[in-house]
Amino acid sequence: MKPDEAGPRILEEKILHVPNERRILSNSLKIKNLFLKNRLLMAPMAGYTNLPFRSLVSEYGAGMVATEMVSCESLIRRNERAFKIMKNDLKEKPVSIQLFGSDPCKMAEAATIVEDFGADVIDINCGCPVKKITKSKSGSSLLKDPTLAGRIVSSMVRKVRKPVSVKMRTGWDTIGATGAEEFAKIVEDSGASFITVHGRTKNDFFTGLVDLDTIERIKSSVKIPVFGNGDIRSPNDAIEMLRRTKVDALMIGRGAIGNPWIFSRLLSWSRTGILPSPPSSSERKNVLFLHLHRMKKHLGEKLAILHSRKHIPAYTKGMEGGSFFRRKLMEQSSFESVINLTESFFKPFLCN
Ligand SMILES: Cc1cc2nc3c(=O)[nH]c(=O)nc-3n(C[C@H](O)[C@H](O)[C@H](O)COP(=O)(O)O)c2cc1C
């Protein structure tokens, strides 16, 4: 073999040793009238997944993005903030708009508003563990009342043409105690087009290991597609979830904060078996600045400063001198000073 032939041969061997399950992520998926170009999707996150963040994640290839949850009541009251949460852009298609509530009639009315507002999917929040939400029987509280959840799904499905989906946890307090499979079957029979499962119970909140066994049991108990969610940050996490649960797609939440390129990296790995290096400091800075300017445009200067305090630390995590910079960041009161400070922080990391 000539020396210049060694490269491709080695590359091929490496690819062959990468688990095959990864390939599914870059395959498309059709659900009713919804076409997903791949199976790596962004999870809804209150306070994060607004238009600026969603558009970035979309540009990095996510197969679908999701708004944070919107209250059905506030939509019916035509609350301005609710419409701002849902504001979407043709460039970020498809977009899932998530509703929370517990009254089937109101959820159905809100679903029609959301559909008219450009939703490609109308998702029902059956996972939020926050007391403010659960005390009104919404969010993860619905896991305790599958019949009500089923009525919500069927009343929405009757009113809209777009797919209605459910995002659930594995249970309320104990794993499977409220009958995760039973819940999934009821929402399927009521007309849900797919289900996303965050592999934790309501009591787990966001800690502890993701329960892949219950996700697998849910997946094998229904015919509609099931998406797996929880702690996916690397190829290993993705493979573990795909292998153990056989889900149809993966959804990433926190792993995308300060890291929107996780989608393009994992999709490239899915296609080639090779995980591209993380972006250079210069690309990191450019993306962060793009994000900051989009936030200013979408939220206005004041809110953009507040939001920048959670996004900038995420983009600069692990960089030398970061903790001092982040402390200074909290003291800035104008958008311009946030930009200037961030610019000087990045300077030593950039090549000439
Ligand atoms: C700050 C934050 C806000 C969230 N907001 C929502 C929400 O509005 N609706 C929802 O269904 N899940 C919400 N979640 C849960 C995520 O969608 C996801 O299920 C969870 O974070 C686990 O996935 P991950 O480990 O990839 O982050 C939120 C999570 C976080 C961290």
Side-chain angles (χ1 to χ4, degrees):
M1 187 179 20
K2 291 181 196 151
D4 58 348
E5 284 173 352
R9 177 76 56 89
I10 290 168
L11 206 68
E12 214 169 274
E13 278 168 11
K14 265 191 193 161
I15 293 171
L16 288 177
H17 283 100
V18 180
N20 261 332
E21 290 90 337
R22 72 176 203 281
R23 293 181 195 275
I24 188 190
L25 292 180
S26 39
N27 292 350
S28 61
L29 179 64
K30 197 165 182 313
I31 304 170
K32 269 181 93 177
N33 48 9
L34 172 74
F35 176 78
L36 302 178
K37 64 178 188 250
N38 62 57
R39 300 170 184 228
L40 202 55
L41 322 168
M42 186 182 81
M45 285 185 291
Y48 283 90
T49 55
N50 52 18
L51 182 58
F53 189 35
R54 294 198 311 268
S55 61
L56 274 184
V57 159
S58 205
E59 283 155 22
Y60 274 107
M64 181 164 71
V65 294
T67 69
E68 59 185 87
M69 57 181 174
V70 189
S71 141
C72 70
E73 312 256 354
S74 65
L75 275 180
I76 293 168
R77 285 198 311 271
R78 303 271 159 187
N79 174 287
E80 208 180 304
R81 206 182 96 76
F83 281 86
K84 186 127 191 174
I85 288 176
M86 298 197 303
K87 188 162 186 257
N88 55 86
D89 194 312
L90 276 181
K91 281 184 265 172
E92 56 162 347
K93 292 283 182 181
V95 60
S96 160
I97 297 185
Q98 191 186 58
L99 294 176
F100 73 92
S102 57
D103 179 323
C105 294
K106 287 181 181 166
M107 287 290 273
E109 187 180 345
T112 61
I113 299 173
V114 162
E115 185 172 52
D116 290 345
F117 206 73
D120 299 293
V121 171
I122 302 143
D123 190 42
I124 305 170
N125 185 316
C126 297
C128 180
V130 176
K131 206 165 186 175
K132 203 172 88 185
I133 306 293
T134 56
K135 73 173 191 239
S136 60
K137 284 192 141 201
S138 308
S140 57
S141 184
L142 286 170
L143 296 170
K144 292 192 292 185
D145 194 345
T147 311
L148 176 59
R151 281 177 50 220
I152 292 174
V153 174
S154 56
S155 65
M156 288 169 68
V157 168
R158 273 198 298 272
K159 287 277 176 132
V160 293
R161 289 176 314 278
K162 293 284 157 77
V164 171
S165 59
V166 165
K167 182 160 177 285
M168 63 180 286
R169 285 182 175 241
T170 46
W172 170 260
D173 41 17
T174 329
I175 296 162
T178 49
E181 300 108 293
E182 189 60 25
F183 184 89
K185 269 192 259 175
I186 289 176
V187 298
E188 174 182 47
D189 291 344
S190 308
S193 292
F194 64 90
I195 298 171
T196 304
V197 189
H198 173 194
R200 291 191 172 90
T201 65
K202 173 256 170 196
N203 277 4
D204 290 338
F205 238 75
F206 292 97
T207 54
L209 287 181
V210 168
D211 170 20
L212 298 176
D213 293 339
T214 304
I215 300 182
E216 191 278 325
R217 282 194 281 114
I218 293 171
K219 166 66 194 162
S220 54
S221 64
V222 293
K223 291 186 193 70
I224 52 175
V226 173
F227 302 169
N229 165 244
D231 291 354
I232 293 164
R233 290 181 164 85
S234 68
N236 279 348
D237 302 332
I239 281 297
E240 182 82 351
M241 175 76 85
L242 291 169
R243 250 191 201 159
R244 299 255 313 266
T245 68
K246 309 280 187 291
V247 286
D248 303 275
L250 302 181
M251 199 176 253
I252 299 182
R254 289 166 296 173
I257 299 174
N259 190 27
W261 40 77
I262 189 170
F263 291 94
S264 59
R265 293 183 71 215
L266 286 181
L267 286 168
S268 177
W269 162 78
S270 159
R271 282 187 300 268
T272 65
I274 297 166
L275 183 70
S277 312
S280 63
S281 300
S282 150
E283 181 179 351
R284 190 175 284 266
K285 186 201 146 196
N286 290 343
V287 176
L288 167 59
F289 274 56
L290 189 62
H291 194 165
L292 293 174
H293 285 289
R294 285 183 186 177
M295 284 202 293
K296 186 182 170 209
K297 188 167 170 225
H298 179 69
L299 301 167
E301 184 158 342
K302 249 189 177 160
L303 270 179
I305 296 168
L306 292 180
H307 279 247
S308 73
R309 291 180 185 166
K310 43 188 186 182
H311 286 286
I312 298 177
Y315 277 98
T316 55
K317 201 170 155 193
M319 291 171 78
E320 213 182 314
S323 53
F324 177 72
F325 160 64
R326 288 189 279 273
R327 270 202 307 280
K328 291 295 280 173
L329 188 67
M330 301 302 151
E331 295 164 11
Q332 308 309 310
S333 55
S334 77
F335 187 76
E336 199 188 342
S337 62
V338 168
I339 292 287
N340 291 341
L341 184 71
T342 312
E343 187 90 57
S344 0
F345 172 72
F346 268 95
K347 221 168 225 162
F349 296 100
L350 304 179
C351 308
N352 294 323

